[in-house]
Amino acid sequence: MKKAKVGLRLRRFREEQGLTQAALASALGISTSYVNQMESNQRPITGPVLLRLAEVYDVDVQRFSAAESDRLAAQLRDALADTAHAEQVPPSETRQLAEGAPELARYVVDLHRRYRHALERNAAMSAELDAGASPTAYEEVRDLFYAKRNYIPELDEAAERLCAEAGLHPDPVGGLTRLLRERHGTAVADLDPAEQARTKRRFDPETRVLRLSALLNPAQRAFQLATHLALTGFADLIEPQVAAADLSGDEARALARVGLANYFAGALILPYGAFHRAAEELRYDIDLLQRRFHVGYETVAHRLSTLQRPGARGVPFFFVRVDRAGNISKRQSATDFHFSRVGGTCPLWNVYEAFSQPGAVRTQLAQMPDGRAYLWVARTVTSSYGGFGTPTKTFAVGLGCDLHHAHRLVYADGLDLANPAARTPIGPGCKVCDRDGCPQRAFPAIGKPLEATGHRSRFTPYPSTTEPDRD
């Protein structure tokens, strides 16, 4: 793990625990002066100290690592790239802000998020679009889960307890149907045939009948039952999460409730302890986990990105779902992988290659411009709920982790993890990627002057004057 100077974070953690420097030093087995030097950024916080922190206080060490600073610095650069200040602030200054004043850096990132939302809302109003069609609320909820690193302990633990108490396995559909009837007075029935291809779930509060589409498979049916149970029976856990989130309006709050209910449903169908043990046992083989828990590929991949319970952490994954056009419809993270909000994503990323071999699992060793390397696993998923002529939905689902976790995955078998030449150079999006010599660059990098001369033409698109000569 890269050494990091994150003194303010260490000081804030110590103060949260109500500890003096001497008390923290005693717990970590180091001198008080060493703690003082780390907090004043005179010395970096080292790997052994981080491991001791995790052992004594059961804290996520990424809170103090260089990786968290990398993530925040990348978000700052992303925000600046969307303004007129991009060329005035060098990367070294964004790095200093991320490391030295992380709360201020997060405030800047949040201001940029609000700025983007305001622009999008204004554009929607100018075009006389319906407010419900605006993506702003959806993006706010996506950011909510991203900020929580896709782990919500209150919901996860409640779902696991309920699964055990109600004996929902091995028949979650039957168990959930019985639970809704006995505890909530809700009957479960099928939707009318004319509505089944359009609607998954519909509840009538007056008759207390929950109707589901007969086109859902058992796993999908269980998920819809669990989502309804969360919305009606666990509002006391969901509402505090919504209230604590900084959401702009009723639409965002409503979407947040649904998103949190979906999280609860996933945790109920795939209870943390059993799923985490199986994931470790099967080396995170998604196909084998599908068969063991009788759910879909995307459901397993998404649940793997949530395994961050203190004392029983899984591999910290980044989960993403994209379509053929490059639109990211889902993005959840338990790690620090970063793709830009502006300028698209990287065409060299193997998530897009998955469309060339539908249904096949594709692996990729990838390296970002900052040197951090990752293992990515990608596969397409397809669904259709109608008969002949019904449109089919196809997405590529990607799951990535930092390279130092790769040996825990079956997908690393046969890959040369130690060989830098085996890693595909990818970036956070062309506009904010400072990688020179990329043959797939679609836009010039912001902040780099373009080479414009009639005396030479390079193979690299949009070459900058800082690009080294290789001709």
Side-chain angles (χ1 to χ4, degrees):
M1 182 175 291
K2 186 165 48 178
K3 294 182 180 180
K5 293 183 178 180
V6 286
L8 285 179
R9 293 179 191 171
L10 182 61
R11 182 182 305 167
R12 186 177 297 108
F13 171 77
R14 176 176 60 78
E15 292 172 349
E16 289 171 358
Q17 300 295 317
L19 299 171
T20 64
Q21 288 186 342
L24 180 61
S26 177
L28 299 181
I30 57 179
S31 67
T32 303
S33 63
Y34 191 179
V35 172
N36 181 272
Q37 289 172 336
M38 287 191 295
E39 289 191 355
S40 60
N41 280 332
Q42 295 176 28
R43 297 184 68 172
I45 183 169
T46 61
V49 173
L50 285 173
L51 293 176
R52 183 63 178 159
L53 267 171
E55 179 183 349
V56 174
Y57 298 103
D58 194 21
V59 63
D60 184 359
V61 296
Q62 289 195 17
R63 175 175 177 176
F64 309 102
S65 71
E68 182 65 21
S69 296
D70 290 342
R71 170 189 173 111
L72 193 52
Q75 290 176 326
L76 280 170
R77 290 190 61 196
D78 195 5
L80 290 170
D82 204 26
T83 72
H85 304 286
E87 299 182 14
Q88 302 172 20
V89 182
S92 59
E93 291 189 13
T94 59
R95 161 64 60 183
Q96 289 173 5
L97 182 60
E99 290 184 344
E103 291 304 319
L104 179 58
R106 290 191 185 94
Y107 179 67
V108 173
V109 171
D110 183 62
L111 282 179
H112 173 255
R113 177 178 66 84
R114 292 169 178 270
Y115 161 72
R116 291 299 308 174
H117 287 170
L119 287 182
E120 289 162 3
R121 185 177 292 111
N122 181 65
M125 293 174 64
S126 298
E128 297 182 351
L129 295 176
D130 177 68
S134 172
T136 301
Y138 165 78
E139 291 186 350
E140 285 189 71
V141 175
R142 185 178 67 182
D143 290 344
L144 165 64
F145 281 91
Y146 194 77
K148 290 180 176 291
R149 289 185 175 273
N150 206 26
Y151 176 64
I152 304 170
E154 298 85 353
L155 297 181
D156 223 308
E157 292 164 8
E160 186 174 30
R161 286 194 300 270
L162 178 63
C163 182
E165 292 168 3
L168 297 184
H169 289 287
D171 178 22
V173 172
L176 286 165
T177 301
R178 181 180 65 255
L179 193 64
L180 286 168
R181 181 180 66 251
E182 295 176 354
R183 297 192 186 182
H184 301 280
T186 298
V188 178
D190 284 343
L191 284 165
D192 294 333
E195 194 178 0
Q196 288 180 2
R198 302 190 308 271
T199 306
K200 295 179 182 179
R201 178 187 79 248
R202 179 167 56 77
F203 178 62
D204 186 341
E206 293 185 2
T207 62
R208 300 206 62 77
V209 175
L210 174 65
R211 297 186 182 277
L212 302 179
S213 172
L215 300 177
L216 299 174
N217 63 38
Q220 294 165 334
R221 196 175 184 89
F223 186 86
Q224 294 301 322
L225 291 169
T227 299
H228 175 76
L229 177 64
L231 290 167
T232 56
F234 289 85
D236 58 327
L237 293 180
I238 291 176
E239 285 305 319
Q241 297 288 336
V242 176
D246 186 17
L247 301 173
S248 64
D250 291 341
E251 183 185 14
R253 285 187 281 273
L255 282 176
R257 291 185 188 97
V258 174
L260 292 165
N262 287 340
Y263 182 98
F264 182 94
L268 187 60
I269 302 302
L270 300 172
Y272 195 105
F275 187 74
H276 175 256
R277 288 191 295 271
E280 291 286 340
E281 173 195 339
L282 300 175
R283 297 186 61 211
Y284 295 85
D285 189 313
I286 300 176
D287 289 313
L288 294 182
L289 288 167
Q290 275 187 264
R291 297 190 188 102
R292 179 168 296 191
F293 291 94
H294 310 290
V295 294
Y297 185 95
E298 182 177 342
T299 301
V300 170
H302 190 277
R303 184 59 168 145
L304 287 174
S305 73
T306 69
L307 300 183
Q308 292 301 296
R309 177 178 292 178
R313 297 185 192 277
V315 171
F317 283 112
F318 186 102
F319 170 89
V320 67
R321 189 182 73 177
V322 305
D323 63 20
R324 292 180 184 272
N327 301 304
I328 298 179
S329 53
K330 287 185 180 181
R331 183 189 66 198
Q332 305 293 350
S333 179
T335 182
D336 62 329
F337 192 78
H338 176 74
F339 269 116
S340 174
R341 292 175 181 273
V342 296
T345 54
C346 183
L348 299 177
W349 195 20
N350 78 324
V351 176
Y352 299 113
E353 288 292 326
F355 290 107
S356 65
Q357 290 182 290
V361 174
R362 299 182 65 89
T363 60
Q364 181 186 47
L365 298 178
Q367 187 164 20
M368 296 291 280
D370 63 4
R372 292 183 64 85
Y374 301 85
L375 170 62
W376 277 96
V377 180
R379 204 202 82 171
T380 57
V381 293
T382 302
S383 61
S384 176
Y385 295 102
F388 177 77
T390 302
T392 297
K393 297 189 296 184
T394 301
F395 298 98
V397 169
L399 204 61
C401 69
D402 195 285
L403 199 59
H404 71 264
H405 293 292
H407 67 280
R408 299 168 63 184
L409 277 61
V410 67
Y411 304 104
D413 292 352
L415 299 180
D416 192 354
L417 301 181
N419 182 9
R423 304 168 192 170
T424 301
I426 65 173
C430 293
K431 289 185 178 180
V432 293
C433 180
D434 55 8
R435 191 186 296 283
D436 289 323
C438 177
Q440 287 286 157
R441 181 175 288 282
F443 302 98
I446 294 176
K448 283 193 171 185
L450 282 174
E451 179 182 89
T453 173
H455 301 292
R456 175 170 61 180
S457 177
R458 295 182 185 259
F459 285 104
T460 304
Y462 307 107
S464 71
T465 56
T466 62
E467 185 173 326
D469 288 332
R470 297 187 182 90
D471 296 349

